[in-house]
Amino acid sequence: MAGWTDTHCHLDAPEFDADREAVVQRAREAGVGLIVIPAVSPQTFAPARDAAHRFGGAYALGIHPLFVRQVPDDALALLDAALQRWREDPRLVAVGEIGLDHFVPELQDEASRALQERFYAAQLDLAVAHGLPVILHVRRSADGLLKHLRRLRDAGRPVAGGIAHAFNGSAQQAQTFVELGFKLGFGGAMTFERALQIRGLATELPPEALVLETDAPDIPPHWLYLTAEARARGERSRNEPGELPRIAQTLAGLRGLSLDALRELTTRNALAALPRLAALQASA
């Protein structure tokens, strides 16, 4: 039976520089078969690709909304060129991580929001042009993301689906993403008992809408969470892809499924969201 699929893990992040091979080995020992590594800026395009090739995973190329003020003026052209250059690479599975962030305070002024939206819309156009699904960053921004997805659909140029990563919107927004061909990513946030909205969605959404992710090194599950006081003392929490099966136990409990059934379900959904994963899974 296929292993677990971590549909969102920043394995190329500097937090893993000291022990990346050990991190991957722990993930493999835990039963994680495939890891999808989304880039966040042109500077990370090559590292994300290199990590995918080195460790038998997959990667996506995109410009994260948190980086839109940091990237060079030709960032979108660099993304287009990279998608073209590596278009035949079977490990390139999506355009991502892209989207909108309406949470981080320093990016909520009018100019920053407009810049985020310009990058998001342009990257959706690139995804359509290159025939790839997308991996979306959704943080208090679901309606804005959906607006552009519907615009392209209504223009006869629909995005080829993908994943709404770390989804935390409403049930109505979730349903709209599903209707547009998207799967919804659930990870460490779901493990907190107080995360009632996320856990409700994880319980009630159609089974074909669910995929699993860690967002490592970020979004730690409750057993890795550090209090604000601990963080103030300089302590740091690091999530890992090897935590995915334990995160999955929460979803299995919410859905009343065995772990084997959930693994089969979420792997099938990941392959539907990112079709190029199928060939990688077959050769894993």
Side-chain angles (χ1 to χ4, degrees), residues 44-249:
T44 66
F45 290 172
R49 181 178 186 269
D50 291 347
H53 278 266
R54 180 180 175 188
F55 297 110
Y59 68 100
L61 298 177
I63 300 164
H64 193 292
L66 296 187
F67 289 85
V68 294
R69 287 205 171 277
Q70 304 172 30
V71 296
D73 292 342
D74 62 345
L76 290 168
L78 292 172
L79 174 57
D80 189 18
L83 292 169
Q84 181 66 22
R85 180 165 66 251
W86 294 325
R87 66 187 183 280
E88 301 300 330
D89 185 351
R91 297 190 184 278
L92 173 59
V93 298
V95 172
E97 179 178 356
I98 69 173
L100 299 170
D101 192 296
H102 291 170
F103 174 76
V104 174
E106 56 267 29
L107 287 173
Q108 302 318 310
D109 60 278
E110 185 177 348
S112 293
R113 283 207 177 196
L115 186 61
Q116 287 190 58
E117 190 157 0
R118 181 171 72 82
F119 269 86
Y120 172 57
Q123 291 181 96
L124 288 182
D125 286 337
L126 288 175
V128 172
H130 290 276
L132 289 169
V134 295
I135 296 175
L136 297 178
H137 177 89
V138 190
R139 193 148 61 160
R140 297 188 183 175
S141 58
D143 286 341
L145 298 176
L146 290 166
K147 177 183 73 173
H148 286 280
L149 293 170
R150 285 191 292 254
R151 171 180 59 81
L152 287 169
R153 179 201 61 190
D154 295 344
R157 300 176 58 244
V159 175
I163 296 171
H165 146 66
F167 187 77
N168 60 357
S170 69
Q172 182 178 358
Q173 290 165 337
Q175 183 59 38
T176 305
F177 275 112
V178 171
E179 290 169 357
L180 288 167
F182 281 78
K183 311 300 182 186
L184 307 179
F186 291 88
M190 174 184 59
T191 67
F192 291 84
E193 290 187 1
R194 67 179 182 270
L196 298 179
Q197 180 168 315
I198 294 173
R199 290 165 75 95
L201 288 168
T203 303
E204 296 165 9
L205 282 170
E208 63 272 14
L210 308 170
V211 294
L212 284 163
E213 60 180 36
T214 61
D215 197 29
D218 300 318
I219 312 187
H222 75 80
W223 54 89
L224 296 179
Y225 179 75
L226 293 178
T227 64
E229 291 79 7
R231 296 195 298 274
R233 292 194 299 267
E235 297 180 36
R236 293 292 178 265
S237 175
R238 187 185 72 170
N239 197 6
E240 293 190 8
E243 300 293 343
L244 190 75
R246 189 174 173 188
I247 291 170
Q249 291 177 11

